Amino acid sequence: MCNVVRLLCLLTGFCFLFGSMGGCAQEDRFEIKGAKLGISQQEFMKKLPFLKCDSPKRTALSDVECSGYSEDACPDSLPSGFSRTPRKRTADDIECLTTARENYMFAGHPAKSFHAFFYDDSLTAVFVKIKKERFDETVDALTEKYGKPSETKTGSTQKKLIVKWQRSDSHIVATQHPLKPEATITFQLNSAESEFEKREKEERRKNANNL
């Protein structure tokens, strides 16, 4: 069925008519480390089991957030107390650090963190923090996988660089700010913003009723 839809898209140019057709639309969605946008939390955790999930304080942001930081993936190599002399790394330390490096690998280098957000048990967005100096390499890797960016622009604030890849119902945005030590790569469903606005409006209404 999806092949028929794609053929109709090519022949007629009216691809937007089929953008919401479940499985067909999902095949067009971006993915991160094998986790495609729109999958369930259970499916997502099979791909990135090293992340920890919790309910955020604000449901407007998401129903569930799964996150992890590469620097916190392994026990501190420094002993407790006032001494700052590093203890000798054990075999377990080395194994943990090796596993963490593999888990957080993104575009050839370990990412600093992953943050995944779910609305109604559907992966809505993933934010990846990387070192600023890895930004160009990461953009090159994304271009190699997904083709030429749909848009590249410089933001009005301190010459912020924004590179975007767009598909029918999802997008990737790579953002680099010259004054920040980290760059951000965002994988997101196009519907996420409108869902957030709807939930935020409802949240404000409830807060007003509590006055």
Side-chain angles (χ1 to χ4, degrees):
M1 175 62 182
C2 288
N3 289 332
V4 174
V5 169
R6 294 193 189 94
L7 180 59
L8 288 172
C9 284
L10 292 172
L11 292 176
T12 67
F14 294 115
C15 293
F16 67 90
L17 294 174
F18 306 97
S20 61
M21 292 184 61
C24 296
Q26 188 165 340
E27 288 189 10
D28 192 42
R29 290 173 180 170
F30 289 109
E31 64 178 35
I32 174 171
K33 295 181 75 69
K36 190 171 292 187
L37 289 169
I39 63 175
S40 67
Q41 181 186 345
Q42 183 178 15
E43 291 175 297
F44 176 79
M45 292 307 295
K46 291 178 182 178
K47 301 293 184 181
L48 289 86
F50 53 93
L51 301 183
K52 295 182 179 180
C53 301
D54 201 356
S55 299
K57 294 180 180 179
R58 294 183 59 198
T59 56
L61 296 174
S62 67
D63 297 320
V64 175
E65 177 184 351
C66 301
S67 60
Y69 299 83
S70 56
E71 63 180 14
D72 296 333
C74 296
D76 197 336
S77 60
L78 294 173
S80 60
F82 294 100
S83 173
R84 301 301 293 171
T85 303
R87 62 173 171 78
K88 185 178 180 180
R89 284 180 177 173
T90 66
D92 288 341
D93 292 332
I94 295 173
E95 181 180 358
C96 181
L97 290 168
T98 300
T99 300
R101 180 178 175 83
E102 293 173 354
N103 286 342
Y104 284 87
M105 190 63 64
F106 182 78
H109 299 279
K112 295 184 72 64
S113 66
F114 290 108
H115 296 269
F117 299 88
F118 295 82
Y119 282 142
D120 300 321
D121 198 30
S122 175
L123 179 60
T124 305
V126 182
F127 295 84
V128 185
K129 294 286 187 180
I130 62 172
K131 291 181 178 179
K132 184 170 66 176
E133 55 266 30
R134 303 297 186 194
F135 183 80
D136 290 341
E137 291 178 73
T138 302
V139 169
D140 288 344
L142 290 167
T143 300
E144 178 68 24
K145 183 172 183 178
Y146 296 116
K148 184 179 178 180
S150 310
E151 182 181 8
T152 301
K153 64 180 181 179
T154 302
S156 58
T157 306
Q158 297 292 334
K159 302 298 182 182
K160 179 171 65 176
L161 180 61
I162 301 169
V163 185
K164 185 174 184 178
W165 289 261
Q166 181 72 56
R167 287 187 173 176
S168 62
D169 65 351
S170 57
H171 59 267
I172 300 173
V173 177
T175 307
Q176 181 189 46
H177 196 294
L179 300 182
K180 294 183 179 180
E182 300 172 346
T184 304
I185 315 298
T186 303
F187 295 72
Q188 187 168 299
L189 291 178
N190 297 342
S191 59
E193 186 173 346
S194 60
E195 180 66 20
F196 170 74
E197 290 175 352
K198 182 180 74 174
R199 290 179 178 226
E200 187 178 43
K201 183 178 180 180
E202 178 63 19
E203 189 177 82
R204 287 197 301 266
R205 186 188 66 79
K206 288 182 179 180
N207 291 341
N209 289 338
N210 289 331
L211 293 175

PDB file of all heavy atoms in Angstrom, residues 90-114:
ATOM      1  N   THR A  90      39.600   0.359  37.762  1.00  0.00           N
ATOM      2  CA  THR A  90      39.475  -1.096  37.792  1.00  0.00           C
ATOM      3  C   THR A  90      38.985  -1.591  36.431  1.00  0.00           C
ATOM      4  O   THR A  90      38.623  -0.810  35.552  1.00  0.00           O
ATOM      5  CB  THR A  90      38.485  -1.524  38.880  1.00  0.00           C
ATOM      6  OG1 THR A  90      37.173  -1.038  38.505  1.00  0.00           O
ATOM      7  CG2 THR A  90      38.862  -0.942  40.225  1.00  0.00           C
ATOM      8  N   ALA A  91      38.957  -2.912  36.289  1.00  0.00           N
ATOM      9  CA  ALA A  91      38.452  -3.507  35.055  1.00  0.00           C
ATOM     10  C   ALA A  91      36.981  -3.146  34.847  1.00  0.00           C
ATOM     11  O   ALA A  91      36.540  -2.918  33.713  1.00  0.00           O
ATOM     12  CB  ALA A  91      38.632  -5.023  35.105  1.00  0.00           C
ATOM     13  N   ASP A  92      36.227  -3.068  35.945  1.00  0.00           N
ATOM     14  CA  ASP A  92      34.811  -2.683  35.861  1.00  0.00           C
ATOM     15  C   ASP A  92      34.671  -1.238  35.372  1.00  0.00           C
ATOM     16  O   ASP A  92      33.756  -0.920  34.604  1.00  0.00           O
ATOM     17  CB  ASP A  92      34.121  -2.838  37.216  1.00  0.00           C
ATOM     18  CG  ASP A  92      33.913  -4.293  37.603  1.00  0.00           C
ATOM     19  OD1 ASP A  92      33.969  -5.148  36.699  1.00  0.00           O
ATOM     20  OD2 ASP A  92      33.703  -4.567  38.801  1.00  0.00           O
ATOM     21  N   ASP A  93      35.570  -0.361  35.855  1.00  0.00           N
ATOM     22  CA  ASP A  93      35.549   1.033  35.399  1.00  0.00           C
ATOM     23  C   ASP A  93      35.755   1.112  33.902  1.00  0.00           C
ATOM     24  O   ASP A  93      35.039   1.819  33.184  1.00  0.00           O
ATOM     25  CB  ASP A  93      36.644   1.847  36.100  1.00  0.00           C
ATOM     26  CG  ASP A  93      36.382   2.039  37.581  1.00  0.00           C
ATOM     27  OD1 ASP A  93      35.197   2.044  37.971  1.00  0.00           O
ATOM     28  OD2 ASP A  93      37.356   2.190  38.334  1.00  0.00           O
ATOM     29  N   ILE A  94      36.747   0.406  33.424  1.00  0.00           N
ATOM     30  CA  ILE A  94      37.090   0.444  31.999  1.00  0.00           C
ATOM     31  C   ILE A  94      35.950  -0.117  31.161  1.00  0.00           C
ATOM     32  O   ILE A  94      35.589   0.434  30.116  1.00  0.00           O
ATOM     33  CB  ILE A  94      38.393  -0.338  31.743  1.00  0.00           C
ATOM     34  CG1 ILE A  94      39.559   0.366  32.447  1.00  0.00           C
ATOM     35  CG2 ILE A  94      38.661  -0.462  30.243  1.00  0.00           C
ATOM     36  CD1 ILE A  94      40.857  -0.413  32.405  1.00  0.00           C
ATOM     37  N   GLU A  95      35.345  -1.202  31.652  1.00  0.00           N
ATOM     38  CA  GLU A  95      34.213  -1.791  30.928  1.00  0.00           C
ATOM     39  C   GLU A  95      33.037  -0.826  30.874  1.00  0.00           C
ATOM     40  O   GLU A  95      32.389  -0.667  29.835  1.00  0.00           O
ATOM     41  CB  GLU A  95      33.782  -3.096  31.600  1.00  0.00           C
ATOM     42  CG  GLU A  95      32.623  -3.790  30.877  1.00  0.00           C
ATOM     43  CD  GLU A  95      32.208  -5.085  31.557  1.00  0.00           C
ATOM     44  OE1 GLU A  95      32.837  -5.464  32.571  1.00  0.00           O
ATOM     45  OE2 GLU A  95      31.242  -5.717  31.084  1.00  0.00           O
ATOM     46  N   CYS A  96      32.773  -0.144  31.993  1.00  0.00           N
ATOM     47  CA  CYS A  96      31.675   0.815  32.048  1.00  0.00           C
ATOM     48  C   CYS A  96      31.924   1.979  31.099  1.00  0.00           C
ATOM     49  O   CYS A  96      31.026   2.397  30.361  1.00  0.00           O
ATOM     50  CB  CYS A  96      31.502   1.329  33.474  1.00  0.00           C
ATOM     51  SG  CYS A  96      30.144   2.510  33.658  1.00  0.00           S
ATOM     52  N   LEU A  97      33.142   2.513  31.105  1.00  0.00           N
ATOM     53  CA  LEU A  97      33.476   3.644  30.240  1.00  0.00           C
ATOM     54  C   LEU A  97      33.383   3.257  28.761  1.00  0.00           C
ATOM     55  O   LEU A  97      32.925   4.049  27.936  1.00  0.00           O
ATOM     56  CB  LEU A  97      34.881   4.156  30.567  1.00  0.00           C
ATOM     57  CG  LEU A  97      35.025   4.861  31.920  1.00  0.00           C
ATOM     58  CD1 LEU A  97      36.500   5.071  32.266  1.00  0.00           C
ATOM     59  CD2 LEU A  97      34.294   6.198  31.903  1.00  0.00           C
ATOM     60  N   THR A  98      33.803   2.037  28.443  1.00  0.00           N
ATOM     61  CA  THR A  98      33.726   1.562  27.054  1.00  0.00           C
ATOM     62  C   THR A  98      32.275   1.433  26.617  1.00  0.00           C
ATOM     63  O   THR A  98      31.901   1.849  25.508  1.00  0.00           O
ATOM     64  CB  THR A  98      34.445   0.207  26.916  1.00  0.00           C
ATOM     65  OG1 THR A  98      35.823   0.352  27.293  1.00  0.00           O
ATOM     66  CG2 THR A  98      34.367  -0.301  25.483  1.00  0.00           C
ATOM     67  N   THR A  99      31.441   0.861  27.492  1.00  0.00           N
ATOM     68  CA  THR A  99      30.013   0.708  27.182  1.00  0.00           C
ATOM     69  C   THR A  99      29.336   2.065  27.039  1.00  0.00           C
ATOM     70  O   THR A  99      28.527   2.278  26.127  1.00  0.00           O
ATOM     71  CB  THR A  99      29.311  -0.108  28.286  1.00  0.00           C
ATOM     72  OG1 THR A  99      29.921  -1.398  28.381  1.00  0.00           O
ATOM     73  CG2 THR A  99      27.825  -0.264  27.980  1.00  0.00           C
ATOM     74  N   ALA A 100      29.663   2.995  27.940  1.00  0.00           N
ATOM     75  CA  ALA A 100      29.069   4.335  27.885  1.00  0.00           C
ATOM     76  C   ALA A 100      29.446   5.041  26.589  1.00  0.00           C
ATOM     77  O   ALA A 100      28.618   5.723  25.976  1.00  0.00           O
ATOM     78  CB  ALA A 100      29.525   5.155  29.078  1.00  0.00           C
ATOM     79  N   ARG A 101      30.693   4.894  26.190  1.00  0.00           N
ATOM     80  CA  ARG A 101      31.130   5.526  24.936  1.00  0.00           C
ATOM     81  C   ARG A 101      30.333   4.986  23.756  1.00  0.00           C
ATOM     82  O   ARG A 101      29.902   5.737  22.883  1.00  0.00           O
ATOM     83  CB  ARG A 101      32.624   5.282  24.724  1.00  0.00           C
ATOM     84  CG  ARG A 101      33.170   5.908  23.440  1.00  0.00           C
ATOM     85  CD  ARG A 101      34.667   5.671  23.290  1.00  0.00           C
ATOM     86  NE  ARG A 101      35.145   6.176  22.021  1.00  0.00           N
ATOM     87  CZ  ARG A 101      35.462   7.435  21.773  1.00  0.00           C
ATOM     88  NH1 ARG A 101      35.355   8.333  22.733  1.00  0.00           N
ATOM     89  NH2 ARG A 101      35.888   7.802  20.579  1.00  0.00           N
ATOM     90  N   GLU A 102      30.105   3.677  23.733  1.00  0.00           N
ATOM     91  CA  GLU A 102      29.317   3.063  22.658  1.00  0.00           C
ATOM     92  C   GLU A 102      27.862   3.527  22.716  1.00  0.00           C
ATOM     93  O   GLU A 102      27.252   3.831  21.689  1.00  0.00           O
ATOM     94  CB  GLU A 102      29.399   1.538  22.758  1.00  0.00           C
ATOM     95  CG  GLU A 102      30.794   0.979  22.484  1.00  0.00           C
ATOM     96  CD  GLU A 102      30.876  -0.515  22.754  1.00  0.00           C
ATOM     97  OE1 GLU A 102      29.883  -1.083  23.256  1.00  0.00           O
ATOM     98  OE2 GLU A 102      31.931  -1.108  22.474  1.00  0.00           O
ATOM     99  N   ASN A 103      27.301   3.576  23.924  1.00  0.00           N
ATOM    100  CA  ASN A 103      25.900   3.974  24.077  1.00  0.00           C
ATOM    101  C   ASN A 103      25.655   5.396  23.580  1.00  0.00           C
ATOM    102  O   ASN A 103      24.635   5.675  22.943  1.00  0.00           O
ATOM    103  CB  ASN A 103      25.479   3.877  25.545  1.00  0.00           C
ATOM    104  CG  ASN A 103      25.295   2.447  26.016  1.00  0.00           C
ATOM    105  OD1 ASN A 103      25.146   1.530  25.210  1.00  0.00           O
ATOM    106  ND2 ASN A 103      25.314   2.253  27.324  1.00  0.00           N
ATOM    107  N   TYR A 104      26.569   6.302  23.911  1.00  0.00           N
ATOM    108  CA  TYR A 104      26.364   7.720  23.606  1.00  0.00           C
ATOM    109  C   TYR A 104      26.990   8.145  22.274  1.00  0.00           C
ATOM    110  O   TYR A 104      26.977   9.329  21.943  1.00  0.00           O
ATOM    111  CB  TYR A 104      26.916   8.585  24.738  1.00  0.00           C
ATOM    112  CG  TYR A 104      26.023   8.598  25.954  1.00  0.00           C
ATOM    113  CD1 TYR A 104      26.143   7.626  26.942  1.00  0.00           C
ATOM    114  CD2 TYR A 104      25.027   9.557  26.101  1.00  0.00           C
ATOM    115  CE1 TYR A 104      25.301   7.621  28.053  1.00  0.00           C
ATOM    116  CE2 TYR A 104      24.184   9.565  27.195  1.00  0.00           C
ATOM    117  CZ  TYR A 104      24.329   8.590  28.168  1.00  0.00           C
ATOM    118  OH  TYR A 104      23.487   8.586  29.249  1.00  0.00           O
ATOM    119  N   MET A 105      27.502   7.171  21.532  1.00  0.00           N
ATOM    120  CA  MET A 105      28.111   7.499  20.244  1.00  0.00           C
ATOM    121  C   MET A 105      27.075   8.112  19.305  1.00  0.00           C
ATOM    122  O   MET A 105      25.987   7.587  19.121  1.00  0.00           O
ATOM    123  CB  MET A 105      28.712   6.239  19.619  1.00  0.00           C
ATOM    124  CG  MET A 105      29.581   6.504  18.397  1.00  0.00           C
ATOM    125  SD  MET A 105      31.043   7.489  18.790  1.00  0.00           S
ATOM    126  CE  MET A 105      31.945   6.396  19.889  1.00  0.00           C
ATOM    127  N   PHE A 106      27.436   9.244  18.710  1.00  0.00           N
ATOM    128  CA  PHE A 106      26.535   9.951  17.809  1.00  0.00           C
ATOM    129  C   PHE A 106      27.377  10.660  16.756  1.00  0.00           C
ATOM    130  O   PHE A 106      28.190  11.515  17.089  1.00  0.00           O
ATOM    131  CB  PHE A 106      25.671  10.951  18.587  1.00  0.00           C
ATOM    132  CG  PHE A 106      24.670  11.698  17.754  1.00  0.00           C
ATOM    133  CD1 PHE A 106      23.488  11.083  17.358  1.00  0.00           C
ATOM    134  CD2 PHE A 106      24.897  13.002  17.347  1.00  0.00           C
ATOM    135  CE1 PHE A 106      22.555  11.757  16.581  1.00  0.00           C
ATOM    136  CE2 PHE A 106      23.975  13.689  16.568  1.00  0.00           C
ATOM    137  CZ  PHE A 106      22.801  13.065  16.183  1.00  0.00           C
ATOM    138  N   ALA A 107      27.206  10.268  15.517  1.00  0.00           N
ATOM    139  CA  ALA A 107      27.958  10.857  14.402  1.00  0.00           C
ATOM    140  C   ALA A 107      29.467  10.746  14.613  1.00  0.00           C
ATOM    141  O   ALA A 107      30.214  11.672  14.307  1.00  0.00           O
ATOM    142  CB  ALA A 107      27.553  12.307  14.187  1.00  0.00           C
ATOM    143  N   GLY A 108      29.902   9.617  15.151  1.00  0.00           N
ATOM    144  CA  GLY A 108      31.335   9.357  15.262  1.00  0.00           C
ATOM    145  C   GLY A 108      31.983   9.785  16.562  1.00  0.00           C
ATOM    146  O   GLY A 108      33.159   9.502  16.786  1.00  0.00           O
ATOM    147  N   HIS A 109      31.218  10.462  17.459  1.00  0.00           N
ATOM    148  CA  HIS A 109      31.768  10.932  18.720  1.00  0.00           C
ATOM    149  C   HIS A 109      30.714  10.798  19.811  1.00  0.00           C
ATOM    150  O   HIS A 109      29.516  10.904  19.531  1.00  0.00           O
ATOM    151  CB  HIS A 109      32.224  12.392  18.615  1.00  0.00           C
ATOM    152  CG  HIS A 109      33.295  12.621  17.599  1.00  0.00           C
ATOM    153  ND1 HIS A 109      34.620  12.372  17.848  1.00  0.00           N
ATOM    154  CD2 HIS A 109      33.225  13.076  16.312  1.00  0.00           C
ATOM    155  CE1 HIS A 109      35.333  12.657  16.777  1.00  0.00           C
ATOM    156  NE2 HIS A 109      34.520  13.083  15.838  1.00  0.00           N
ATOM    157  N   PRO A 110      31.138  10.595  21.061  1.00  0.00           N
ATOM    158  CA  PRO A 110      30.149  10.489  22.150  1.00  0.00           C
ATOM    159  C   PRO A 110      29.390  11.801  22.354  1.00  0.00           C
ATOM    160  O   PRO A 110      30.000  12.869  22.432  1.00  0.00           O
ATOM    161  CB  PRO A 110      31.015  10.160  23.378  1.00  0.00           C
ATOM    162  CG  PRO A 110      32.291   9.619  22.829  1.00  0.00           C
ATOM    163  CD  PRO A 110      32.517  10.333  21.534  1.00  0.00           C
ATOM    164  N   ALA A 111      28.085  11.705  22.413  1.00  0.00           N
ATOM    165  CA  ALA A 111      27.256  12.872  22.724  1.00  0.00           C
ATOM    166  C   ALA A 111      27.346  13.154  24.215  1.00  0.00           C
ATOM    167  O   ALA A 111      27.697  12.285  25.020  1.00  0.00           O
ATOM    168  CB  ALA A 111      25.814  12.617  22.330  1.00  0.00           C
ATOM    169  N   LYS A 112      27.045  14.384  24.605  1.00  0.00           N
ATOM    170  CA  LYS A 112      27.060  14.738  26.018  1.00  0.00           C
ATOM    171  C   LYS A 112      25.776  14.290  26.713  1.00  0.00           C
ATOM    172  O   LYS A 112      25.794  13.918  27.890  1.00  0.00           O
ATOM    173  CB  LYS A 112      27.268  16.247  26.183  1.00  0.00           C
ATOM    174  CG  LYS A 112      28.641  16.720  25.699  1.00  0.00           C
ATOM    175  CD  LYS A 112      28.855  18.186  25.973  1.00  0.00           C
ATOM    176  CE  LYS A 112      29.067  18.468  27.447  1.00  0.00           C
ATOM    177  NZ  LYS A 112      30.307  17.849  27.976  1.00  0.00           N
ATOM    178  N   SER A 113      24.651  14.308  25.983  1.00  0.00           N
ATOM    179  CA  SER A 113      23.393  13.888  26.599  1.00  0.00           C
ATOM    180  C   SER A 113      22.337  13.609  25.542  1.00  0.00           C
ATOM    181  O   SER A 113      22.423  14.099  24.409  1.00  0.00           O
ATOM    182  CB  SER A 113      22.869  14.955  27.575  1.00  0.00           C
ATOM    183  OG  SER A 113      22.519  16.139  26.882  1.00  0.00           O
ATOM    184  N   PHE A 114      21.338  12.800  25.956  1.00  0.00           N
ATOM    185  CA  PHE A 114      20.142  12.540  25.162  1.00  0.00           C
ATOM    186  C   PHE A 114      18.924  12.866  26.018  1.00  0.00           C
ATOM    187  O   PHE A 114      18.882  12.520  27.204  1.00  0.00           O
ATOM    188  CB  PHE A 114      20.053  11.068  24.738  1.00  0.00           C
ATOM    189  CG  PHE A 114      21.051  10.636  23.718  1.00  0.00           C
ATOM    190  CD1 PHE A 114      22.116   9.799  24.054  1.00  0.00           C
ATOM    191  CD2 PHE A 114      20.938  11.043  22.398  1.00  0.00           C
ATOM    192  CE1 PHE A 114      23.027   9.384  23.122  1.00  0.00           C
ATOM    193  CE2 PHE A 114      21.850  10.628  21.446  1.00  0.00           C
ATOM    194  CZ  PHE A 114      22.901   9.797  21.806  1.00  0.00           C
TER     195      PHE A 114
END
